[in-house]
Amino acid sequence: MSSTTATRNAIASRFEGLLGSACVVSEPASLERYAIEGSVPGAVLLPEDAEQIASALRIAGEERWPVVPFGGGTHQHIGRVAEDADVVLSTERMNTIAAYDPGDLTIALAAGATVAQARAACAQHRQLLPIEAGAGSTIGGAMAVAATGPLQCAFGGIREFCIGVTFVTGDGLPGRGGGRVVKNVAGYDLMKLMIGSHGSLGVITSANFKLFPMPPVTATFLCEFDSAAALFRFRDSLVKSPMSPLCAEVISPAAAEYLKESEPRDPDSWSPNGALAPQTPWLLALRFAASDRVLARLRHDLASFTSQEIRAHDENRFWGAVSQLEKHVLARHPNAMFFQVSLPISESAAMIEAAEASATNFNFVAGVVGRATVGSFTVVFLPLAIDPPAVTQFAGAASDFRSRLSRAASAVVVRCPREAKHHFDIWGSTPTDIELMRKIKRALDPYSILNRGRFFVE
Amino acid sequence: MFSRSIPGKLRKIVGRDAVLDRPADLMLYEYDGSLARGAPQYVVFPQSTEQVSELVKFAAREGLSIVPRGAGTGLSGGSIARNGGIVLAFARMNRILEIDVPNLRATVQPGVVNLELSNALAPHGFYFAPDPSSQKACTIGGNVAENSGGPHTLAYGVTVNHVTGLEVVLPDGRIAQLGGNAGSAAGYDLTGFFVGSEGTLGIATAITVKITRLPESVATLLAIYDNVQNAAESVVALTSAGITPAAIEMLDGWTLRAVEASVHAGYPLDSAAVLLIEVEGLREMVEEHAEAIQALCRKSGAREVRVARDETERQLLWKGRKTAFGAIGRISHSYYVQDGVIPRTRIPETLAKIEEIGRKYSLTIGNIFHAGDGNLHPLILFDSRDADQTQRTLDAGREILEFCISVGGSITGEHGVGMEKQDLMCSLFTDSEREIMLRLRQCFNPNSLLNPEKMLPSPRLCREAVSPGHASLG
Ligand SMILES: Cc1cc2nc3c(=O)[nH]c(=O)nc-3n(C[C@H](O)[C@H](O)[C@H](O)COP(=O)(O)OP(=O)(O)OC[C@H]3O[C@@H](n4cnc5c(N)ncnc54)[C@H](O)[C@@H]3O)c2cc1C
Ligand SMILES: Cc1cc2nc3c(=O)[nH]c(=O)nc-3n(C[C@H](O)[C@H](O)[C@H](O)COP(=O)(O)OP(=O)(O)OC[C@H]3O[C@@H](n4cnc5c(N)ncnc54)[C@H](O)[C@@H]3O)c2cc1C
């Protein structure tokens, strides 16, 4: 518990005076929902617009009260252990589609609009906003964590199609980068700075995106390989071929267990001396937007690698399962550790070898999914039920894994038990200049109130 | 050996033959592709990152400002030494440091010419996707600074979508790394933030870019119109039909006739506008899309749609587009290029507005632009020796950009703000929005010794923000 009842009341009444009591949540029972890794905030604010956010932040800054920006609350565990939040700033009332111009293929969204809501609106016009995030995730949250998914292969991450952003800095200044048009170089590119800043530089209040035509028909080829090395050899020829898949997702044998509707054969059902389904192949799922003619060509080119071609219902079910992977893993392994790994693609096979070796050394089993042609992977370390790792073993496994990667790679731990975070840095290393990052943090959050203690540069 | 004078000390850092300081030699560096002018005191040609760092430290000690310069093709005065100082010209840092095909990356020094990188990649089956029309001359360093685009930006994105890592020298001489050759890195995306900063944050000394596979098949179409509005409507129709060509470029009748007079690209002289459309990719897909595009263009009023039959015909159609500015330079004493952006649905009414503005100021305005992105390049013809005409040109340009802002657009899509559109930044961004940008510049370039008085207007300039009718060159 962060705040005493007395300070809680003081915080709440300060903001009630400013925003009106309807915009402030302070009853303990209602606050639970906004707990950050188990820590209940002092007060929750439900601002209705950027101006209210700005005035709330000015007060929080004056008082040096730590503030946590809050979207859907689905991934508040990402980051170092947060300093107890006095104030949670939720964007849930800022949830409108501010403007949608299907003729121009652009959309303007308030930060609290959900990704699902925005995608559904676009789907009605057969258009696609290629942001991939779980149910309940907001646009602001997806931007803050730079969420990615299989579609990154064709469309890139959010940075490649976000054309404008508004936000409020830690000291309450409203800021903006870009605008509503698809091409724009007036002023600094603040979209890039906000995307992936994990709520440490400002509270995002809205964002604009360019959209893409929804592919009318798609098909997915499931290609199987005996080993990761064989899969990535094929990937090397794929990136030189004229094929442009929408998705090129690697699924390791251990990860594939969680895509099935049956019980996974995972560490929980393991016998100490049995291997994990050795006959399970490595899977590369290639999804294409394709007419019949193009499909015929692809079928021909991919014939010797494809074990199965799936379309329509089966195809949707497959990709639905891929997007639910994290959820399915967590249902059985609430203590699983997830890494977001980014590396030069030629290092993919070595990275997987490293993950498997480190996992084994520290009583885990490694599973991998990710974008084969991009070098962006989710690596999960599943704890062994028969001999569960201690908190220090989480830290040990993460450090061991990182030490086996090249300097060009980053491996951020996006999920692990809270207690484990005290024993290592979840962020790991980065090639990017830390001193500049620190200066920027100080420039936009001079009182260091935004997500205090959680981000890289503190 | 070296004298104690400033040029002497500069020569000590970069070598005897790498410093210019005689007025006659400096004259060439007073210009870029814009209308702006400014004379540097020295032009220096560094050959390594370490030399850049030494030069920057030296300049800071002497209180001299530094202006980076690539090929000087910029269209907003970005590489002009506004208040003297040193121009750092990258002509001798022009090596391709690495071509890493397995990782789909190349690392280059800033002075590498855009097209030379693509030429070097071609034997491997790859190229560098951003293709400004100036690609035979402009440098990758300049592309990074301006976040340049080109005709194929529509499908492949602008420079920032292709840069993953940078080595930069900061104004205090420190060498900093931003990003690398992986697709992303933990921490803030300073690579993305740096691209498009117009040389106001740091000096890029090594640049890692994505390389793109050459397409298997390309079809180039020329849609011909008797009416500009129909051409504009075709763009809207293509966008809403969900077809994303690699490029959609538009030339209006006046411009295409000027082009035909110098290169015989094959644009019909009696037409009111043409669209140059390109589709790329798998052979089968290209054939299907080319058919669909022909049908859509006809439906929205094209009188004829031609498909280039071979590579020679294709190159010729593009030559017309890529040399258009030059062709116009041949018939008019001066021209002033605008770079406004508008939502694609507003192209028809914006073209009508530009015509009206041309009439209002009695000026000829040609239109050539990246239609698929809504990025307009109205070219205002004038004679810079005529003060009255020059003022009318500036006023007309300003009115066009104000119209772009009023329909939800922007004042620049790819040429940058530079020293030319600073006053318009006052109307595009609020005080607090500019204050945030200023704070960020200070994190990198605290005393503004690096490319001073560019892009961000001073608060004073905005307070005195001129009313329409008093546009100036900044
Ligand atoms: C690399 C990566 C890949 C992912 N891939 C997938 C996937 O494939 N499928 C899937 O279902 N999920 C995926 N996720 C998770 C998903 O993207 C997140 O659940 C979601 O984007 C978080 O949204 P939220 O609204 O719930 O934010 P919250 O959980 O409320 O917040 C998350 C973080 O963002 C900050 N934040 C929230 N809103 C704002 C705002 N308006 N301004 C500033 N900061 C804010 C918070 O302070 C917090 O630090 C991925 C996450 C990451 C990091
Ligand atoms: C005929 C013609 C056609 C054009 N077509 C296009 C087009 O289609 N698309 C487009 O986007 N632009 C176009 N341009 C504009 C121009 O070519 C681009 O802006 C180009 O990127 C500038 O490159 P440069 O090497 O000439 O840079 P310069 O003009 O020398 O400099 C431009 C800016 O970059 C900075 N700079 C240069 N090198 C560095 C470095 N290493 N580090 C930091 N800052 C640096 C300079 O200080 C300056 O601010 C065109 C120009 C002409 C003349």
Side-chain angles (χ1 to χ4, degrees):
Chain A
M1 292 282 137
S2 69
S3 322
T4 64
T5 313
T7 55
R8 228 178 231 164
N9 289 341
I11 295 171
S13 61
R14 186 80 196 271
F15 287 109
E16 274 164 13
L18 183 75
L19 308 174
S21 54
C23 289
V24 182
V25 179
S26 55
E27 316 78 65
S30 321
L31 290 174
E32 295 285 338
R33 193 165 91 66
Y34 300 92
I36 313 296
E37 287 196 301
S39 159
V40 178
V44 173
L45 310 184
L46 310 174
E48 277 162 5
D49 54 33
E51 262 162 59
Q52 289 195 336
I53 292 185
S55 38
L57 285 172
R58 282 193 288 266
I59 290 192
E62 248 167 55
E63 303 287 350
R64 307 293 191 268
W65 285 333
V67 174
V68 172
F70 200 97
T74 66
H75 282 68
Q76 283 290 349
H77 51 79
I78 300 179
R80 293 182 188 151
V81 175
E83 203 164 294
D84 289 336
D86 287 321
V87 183
V88 156
L89 241 172
S90 166
T91 54
E92 66 198 66
R93 291 200 179 158
M94 296 169 60
N95 60 1
T96 53
I97 296 176
Y100 175 22
D101 184 353
D104 189 41
L105 284 150
T106 54
I107 195 164
L109 297 160
T114 64
V115 173
Q117 168 194 355
R119 286 186 61 155
C122 297
Q124 289 194 347
H125 291 267
R126 288 178 289 122
Q127 295 182 349
L128 174 68
L129 173 64
I131 301 182
E132 295 166 284
S137 294
T138 60
I139 292 295
M143 297 261 293
V145 305
T148 56
L151 288 171
Q152 187 188 9
C153 172
F155 302 98
I158 297 176
R159 91 194 273 279
E160 317 299 352
F161 52 86
C162 177
I163 56 175
V165 67
T166 63
F167 58 92
V168 181
T169 62
D171 57 339
L173 275 189
R176 179 167 66 89
R180 272 167 43 197
V181 283
V182 298
K183 210 169 157 197
N184 192 353
V185 295
Y188 293 128
D189 191 336
L190 295 172
M191 291 74 84
K192 303 295 181 293
L193 212 48
M194 287 296 138
I195 295 165
S197 64
H198 290 268
S200 66
L201 294 180
V203 178
I204 297 164
T205 49
S206 74
N208 306 339
F209 301 93
K210 70 174 170 192
L211 304 173
F212 300 86
M214 183 80 81
V217 200
T218 65
T220 297
F221 295 83
L222 300 178
C223 304
E224 296 184 348
F225 301 88
D226 293 340
S227 64
L231 186 153
F232 289 112
R233 273 197 301 277
F234 170 70
R235 184 273 322 268
D236 289 342
S237 59
L238 179 71
V239 297
K240 290 186 200 144
S241 82
M243 284 181 263
S244 313
L246 286 173
C247 310
E249 196 75 0
V250 179
I251 297 160
S252 80
E257 291 297 321
Y258 300 87
L259 301 184
K260 301 191 308 197
E261 269 150 29
S262 51
E263 280 284 281
R265 292 168 297 172
D266 68 359
D268 283 358
S269 46
W270 252 25
S271 70
N273 38 18
L276 181 78
Q279 70 278 31
T280 313
W282 282 77
L283 197 64
L284 180 64
L286 298 177
R287 186 175 205 179
F288 292 94
S291 65
D292 289 342
R293 255 175 87 200
V294 174
L295 213 55
R297 155 82 186 274
L298 294 170
R299 217 172 268 141
H300 172 265
D301 287 6
L302 291 168
S304 51
F305 304 96
T306 309
S307 65
Q308 207 188 337
E309 181 186 325
I310 51 175
R311 301 186 71 168
H313 178 65
D314 289 342
E315 190 187 13
N316 288 334
R317 210 172 47 186
F318 173 83
W319 289 106
V322 172
S323 73
Q324 297 284 308
L325 194 80
E326 186 186 14
K327 203 172 116 192
H328 290 164
V329 169
L330 287 173
R332 283 175 70 94
H333 305 282
N335 276 343
M337 173 157 65
F338 286 77
F339 296 86
Q340 182 60 37
V341 178
S342 181
L343 41 63
I345 59 171
S346 70
E347 294 170 14
S348 308
M351 179 279 288
I352 286 173
E353 232 170 80
E356 286 175 340
S358 306
T360 311
N361 285 350
F362 289 86
N363 291 3
F364 296 90
V365 169
V368 179
V369 295
R371 271 106 273 156
T373 57
V374 177
S376 155
F377 297 94
T378 300
V379 174
V380 54
F381 278 20
L382 306 163
L384 283 187
I386 39 166
D387 189 5
V391 285
T392 52
Q393 279 176 300
F394 281 86
S399 310
D400 186 65
F401 174 41
R402 284 176 181 155
S403 73
R404 294 166 192 256
L405 302 178
S406 86
R407 285 189 49 214
S410 25
V412 175
V413 172
V414 289
R415 186 187 281 277
C416 72
R418 185 180 197 263
E419 312 75 61
K421 291 184 182 178
H422 295 294
H423 300 278
F424 75 114
D425 184 7
I426 65 106
W427 295 107
S429 65
T430 176
T432 299
D433 195 74
I434 304 261
E435 194 180 316
L436 281 173
M437 287 201 245
R438 282 212 179 93
K439 282 187 182 164
I440 290 173
K441 166 75 178 168
R442 262 180 253 130
L444 296 198
D445 183 22
Y447 310 118
S448 190
I449 57 169
L450 291 175
N451 272 341
R452 187 182 289 172
R454 283 172 89 182
F455 194 62
F456 220 103
V457 286
E458 288 177 275
Chain B
M1 267 292 284
F2 294 98
S3 81
R4 279 172 216 276
S5 65
I6 288 178
K9 288 176 180 162
L10 290 171
R11 288 196 173 95
K12 197 167 173 194
I13 300 173
V14 291
R16 285 192 172 283
D17 62 346
V19 178
L20 304 180
D21 62 340
R22 287 189 317 210
D25 294 334
L26 295 173
M27 247 165 66
L28 194 63
Y29 297 87
E30 288 177 15
Y31 304 76
D32 67 355
S34 73
L35 303 179
R37 296 284 174 275
Q41 290 158 276
Y42 315 99
V43 175
V44 179
F45 300 91
Q47 297 117 59
S48 69
T49 302
E50 290 66 35
Q51 286 183 358
V52 173
S53 163
E54 284 305 307
L55 286 167
V56 165
K57 283 183 203 157
F58 172 76
R61 279 197 302 275
E62 299 287 334
L64 288 166
S65 52
I66 291 240
V67 180
R69 182 179 179 98
T73 67
L75 292 171
S76 55
S79 60
I80 304 288
R82 236 190 147 157
N83 39 19
I86 304 173
V87 160
L88 277 194
F90 286 104
R92 298 191 198 169
M93 282 179 75
N94 60 353
R95 273 185 308 131
I96 295 174
L97 299 172
E98 191 188 14
I99 291 180
D100 180 4
V101 173
N103 285 313
L104 309 176
R105 296 291 183 270
T107 301
V108 301
Q109 289 189 318
V112 169
V113 168
N114 175 296
L115 190 61
E116 279 171 14
L117 175 58
S118 284
N119 289 344
L121 292 167
H124 303 276
F126 288 83
Y127 72 112
F128 179 56
D131 61 338
S133 304
S134 52
Q135 71 184 142
K136 280 186 183 156
C138 68
T139 64
I140 310 273
N143 297 166
V144 165
E146 302 290 7
N147 191 16
S148 300
H152 292 78
T153 297
L154 180 58
Y156 300 102
V158 288
T159 302
V160 73
N161 305 114
H162 298 271
V163 178
T164 62
L166 292 165
E167 174 192 78
V168 303
V169 174
L170 299 171
D172 62 0
R174 198 161 71 81
I175 301 169
Q177 182 65 35
L178 315 178
N181 56 351
S184 65
Y188 301 139
D189 178 7
L190 298 192
T191 314
F193 180 64
F194 187 93
V195 176
S197 61
E198 302 192 11
T200 66
L201 298 182
I203 300 161
T205 49
I207 301 156
T208 301
V209 299
K210 297 181 185 172
I211 60 177
T212 307
R213 186 185 50 210
L214 286 163
E216 174 181 78
S217 170
V218 181
T220 306
L221 296 87
L222 185 74
I224 301 158
Y225 297 84
D226 288 329
N227 173 326
V228 184
Q229 294 296 318
N230 285 349
E233 278 151 24
S234 283
V235 177
V236 180
L238 288 171
T239 311
S240 11
I243 295 178
T244 311
I248 312 179
E249 298 289 302
M250 186 194 285
L251 287 83
D252 71 6
W254 186 88
T255 311
L256 69 87
R257 278 184 284 280
V259 168
E260 277 299 309
S262 75
V263 278
H264 301 289
Y267 306 152
L269 292 174
D270 64 339
S271 57
V274 294
L275 290 181
L276 189 56
I277 306 172
E278 192 151 275
V279 263
E280 298 185 348
L282 280 183
R283 207 176 312 111
E284 292 79 357
M285 196 199 77
V286 167
E287 284 166 12
E288 282 175 3
H289 281 188
E291 280 161 29
I293 290 169
Q294 290 183 58
L296 273 164
C297 289
R298 289 217 178 81
K299 213 171 128 193
S300 48
R303 82 168 187 224
E304 188 189 344
V305 187
R306 297 181 190 162
V307 184
R309 273 161 307 189
D310 53 30
E311 185 58 22
T312 322
E313 221 175 279
R314 222 196 112 232
Q315 291 296 349
L316 204 57
L317 286 177
W318 276 112
K319 193 172 173 202
R321 165 63 185 92
K322 295 217 169 183
T323 55
F325 289 2
I328 286 160
R330 226 162 291 165
I331 57 172
S332 172
H333 181 268
S334 314
Y335 63 85
Y336 185 37
V337 195
Q338 297 295 312
D339 181 36
V341 199
I342 49 165
R344 290 164 281 196
T345 41
R346 313 299 285 265
I347 294 176
E349 74 190 88
T350 308
L351 287 179
K353 181 74 187 181
I354 291 173
E355 207 186 318
E356 184 192 313
I357 292 172
R359 272 198 308 273
K360 174 172 161 192
Y361 290 96
S362 311
L363 292 164
T364 303
I365 307 183
N367 280 293
I368 176 164
F369 59 97
H370 309 303
D373 291 316
N375 188 183
L376 310 171
H377 291 325
L379 287 152
I380 311 175
L381 306 199
F382 71 108
D383 184 339
S384 60
R385 293 163 300 194
D386 178 337
D388 171 61
Q389 226 184 73
T390 305
Q391 189 58 47
R392 276 187 281 131
T393 299
L394 294 172
D395 292 347
R398 192 190 171 93
E399 209 167 309
I400 293 172
L401 294 185
E402 277 170 351
F403 183 78
C404 293
I405 298 179
S406 77
V407 297
S410 171
I411 57 173
T412 172
E414 54 181 25
H415 297 167
V417 174
M419 55 194 272
E420 191 213 63
K421 293 182 275 286
Q422 280 180 305
D423 54 341
L424 283 161
M425 291 287 281
C426 307
S427 34
L428 195 58
F429 291 102
T430 66
D431 289 347
S432 112
E433 289 162 358
R434 277 182 277 105
E435 152 82 18
I436 290 169
M437 292 190 190
L438 205 59
R439 283 190 196 174
L440 289 165
R441 186 180 74 192
Q442 277 161 353
C443 295
F444 291 78
N445 184 14
N447 305 315
S448 206
L449 270 184
L450 182 65
N451 219 354
E453 296 173 39
K454 301 285 172 68
M455 186 160 97
L456 284 178
S458 67
R460 191 179 54 90
L461 178 67
C462 286
R463 273 195 305 276
E464 294 166 2
V466 283
S467 55
H470 288 86
S472 74
L473 286 178

